[in-house]
């Protein structure tokens, strides 16, 4: 599938990982073309997955790598981690039609989900009623299990470092959830995949109702 | 896997059908999620009820509404 560039672009217009250069009347790849110093110096860049796998439901991916899904029981993004970047940011916005949900995240490699019990995480959670709690996972088979979305929706934003390198993978982030009872919680979570494994993707597993929302991955310029 | 790539997607999208076991697991998760949600709603309702009861008891002791609010926030 070819990238569908906007018609009649203006100089400096950005689309996916390309910027339009009117002096040569061409789109230039900000990751591979030379002489785009200012843009290459910028921190975050869109990452477009090589493929997306959903269990039930549907998904679509636009030229900026934004994955929009609905009715999914899991959403896997493959080909987002590579040698191009070492560290990444992942942003998830999600909601379900009814009920409450929890989300598990796992790494992927070669199109398969990594389920070895090498994940360990800590979540510090504060609820709007004033309750503060901490979960320590020990070594389990999921990257994190964060309080999930309901009709009110929720958001997870986290950095994940070294997923593609043959070393331990670390992550740290925050989430916010609105519960249908009128309360909400905010959580800070972090952890580690404690094995020298190279991953090139990630999967979201909501535990409960099917999930609607978006997920996007960005790479930090090395 | 079934290719379900929509016309507007720039990369392939594949669909993996769930097994019977996975479907059953998800039904159980949905039940547990509903129970968690109900428990959360009950917790919030109980807290509100206790707050109203406390206000009434404090008022019965002679505190003004302003004083009660200052105490309970």
């Amino acid at each position: 599938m070819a990238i569908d560039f906007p018609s009649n672009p203006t100089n400096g217009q950005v689309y996916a990982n390309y910027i339009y250069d009117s002096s040569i009347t061409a789109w230039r790849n900000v990751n591979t073309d030379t002489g785009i110093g200012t843009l290459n110096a910028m921190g975050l860049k869109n990452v477009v997955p090589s493929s997306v796998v959903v269990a039930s439901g549907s998904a679509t991916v636009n030229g900026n790598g934004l994955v929009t899904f609905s009715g999914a029981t899991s959403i896997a993004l493959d080909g987002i981690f590579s040698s191009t970047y070492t560290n990444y940011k992942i942003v998830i916005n999600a909601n379900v039609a009814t009920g409450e949900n929890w989300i598990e995240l796992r790494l992927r490699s070669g199109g398969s989900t990594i389920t070895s019990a090498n994940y360990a995480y800590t979540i510090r959670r504060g609820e709007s009623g004033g309750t503060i709690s901490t979960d320590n996972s020990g070594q389990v088979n999921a990257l994190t299990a964060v309080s999930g979305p309901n009709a009110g929706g929720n958001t997870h934003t986290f950095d994940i470092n070294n997923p593609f390198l043959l070393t331990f993978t670390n992550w740290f982030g925050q989430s916010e959830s609105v519960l249908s009872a009128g309360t909400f919680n905010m959580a800070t979570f972090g952890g580690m995949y404690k094995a020298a494994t190279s991953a090139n993707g990630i999967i979201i597993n909501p535990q409960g109702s099917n999930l609607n929302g978006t997920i996007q991955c960005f790479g930090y310029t090395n | 896997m079934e290719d379900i790539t929509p016309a507007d997607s720039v990369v392939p999208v594949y669909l993996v059908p769930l097994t019977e076991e996975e479907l059953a697991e998800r039904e159980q998760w949905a039940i547990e999620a509903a129970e968690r949600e109900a428990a959360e709603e009950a917790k919030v309702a109980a807290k509100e009820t206790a707050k109203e009861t406390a206000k009434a008891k404090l008022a019965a002791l002679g505190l003004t509404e302003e004083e009660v609010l200052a105490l309970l926030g």
Side-chain angles (χ1 to χ4, degrees):
Chain A
M1 273 152 284
I3 295 177
D4 186 17
F5 289 110
S7 55
N8 305 315
T10 56
N11 189 44
Q13 185 172 341
V14 173
Y15 180 74
N17 289 325
Y18 294 83
I19 184 167
Y20 187 74
D21 186 341
S22 62
S23 67
I24 58 170
T25 62
W27 290 90
R28 305 185 69 186
N29 188 315
V30 299
N31 293 324
T32 57
D33 287 359
T34 57
I36 316 176
T38 302
L39 200 58
N40 273 338
M42 292 168 67
L44 286 172
K45 290 180 187 161
N46 301 326
V47 173
V48 180
S50 60
S51 66
V52 168
V53 181
V54 292
S56 77
S58 61
T60 185
V61 186
N62 75 11
N64 292 323
L66 177 71
V67 180
T68 303
F69 51 87
S70 64
T73 54
S74 72
I75 308 98
L77 276 60
D78 289 324
I80 51 173
F81 306 139
S82 70
S83 58
T84 303
Y85 308 111
T86 305
N87 306 316
Y88 301 80
K89 179 178 285 295
I90 293 178
V91 180
I92 302 170
N93 292 293
N95 67 79
V96 294
T98 57
E100 192 188 341
N101 223 326
W102 285 72
I103 283 180
E104 287 185 340
L105 301 168
R106 292 184 175 87
L107 298 170
R108 305 248 304 169
S109 178
S112 299
T113 302
I114 300 173
T115 56
S116 309
N118 290 318
Y119 302 87
Y121 61 79
T122 293
I123 303 172
R124 181 72 164 166
R125 185 181 299 110
E127 295 185 359
S128 54
T131 305
I132 303 291
S133 60
T134 304
D135 294 337
N136 294 298
S137 73
Q139 280 193 240
V140 292
N141 69 354
L143 183 152
T144 185
V146 286
S147 181
N150 59 16
N154 81 341
T155 182
H156 309 282
T157 301
F158 62 97
D159 286 347
I160 182 163
N161 298 348
N162 311 315
F164 192 75
L165 298 181
L166 277 172
T167 183
F168 290 7
T169 295
N170 303 77
W171 58 87
F172 178 80
Q174 292 180 304
S175 71
E176 175 273 337
S177 303
V178 179
L179 305 178
S180 59
T183 61
F184 63 89
N185 70 49
M186 297 177 71
T188 296
F189 59 90
M192 166 186 296
Y193 186 80
K194 299 167 76 172
T197 300
S198 176
N200 73 345
I202 195 164
I203 185 169
I204 310 171
N205 274 105
Q207 294 192 333
S209 303
N210 294 4
L211 206 60
N212 308 315
T214 61
I215 178 169
Q216 192 162 19
C217 179
F218 303 89
Y220 283 97
T221 303
N222 284 338
Chain B
M1 289 190 294
E2 183 188 354
D3 190 337
I4 57 163
T5 309
D8 63 348
S9 185
V10 301
V11 302
V13 177
Y14 300 104
L15 174 68
V16 181
L18 294 177
T19 63
E20 290 295 323
E21 193 177 86
E22 287 169 331
L23 283 170
E25 185 182 43
R26 293 200 162 270
E27 282 174 15
Q28 181 58 35
W29 284 346
I31 292 167
E32 289 170 6
E35 287 171 352
R36 277 200 305 272
E37 187 179 13
E40 184 65 28
E41 285 174 352
K43 197 168 77 178
V44 171
K47 193 172 179 181
E48 279 304 307
T49 303
K51 202 170 177 180
E52 290 306 314
T53 308
K55 277 182 187 174
K57 286 179 178 173
L58 289 169
L61 289 173
L63 274 70
T64 66
E65 192 174 342
E66 255 188 1
E67 289 168 333
V68 170
L69 288 176
L71 276 175
L72 297 180

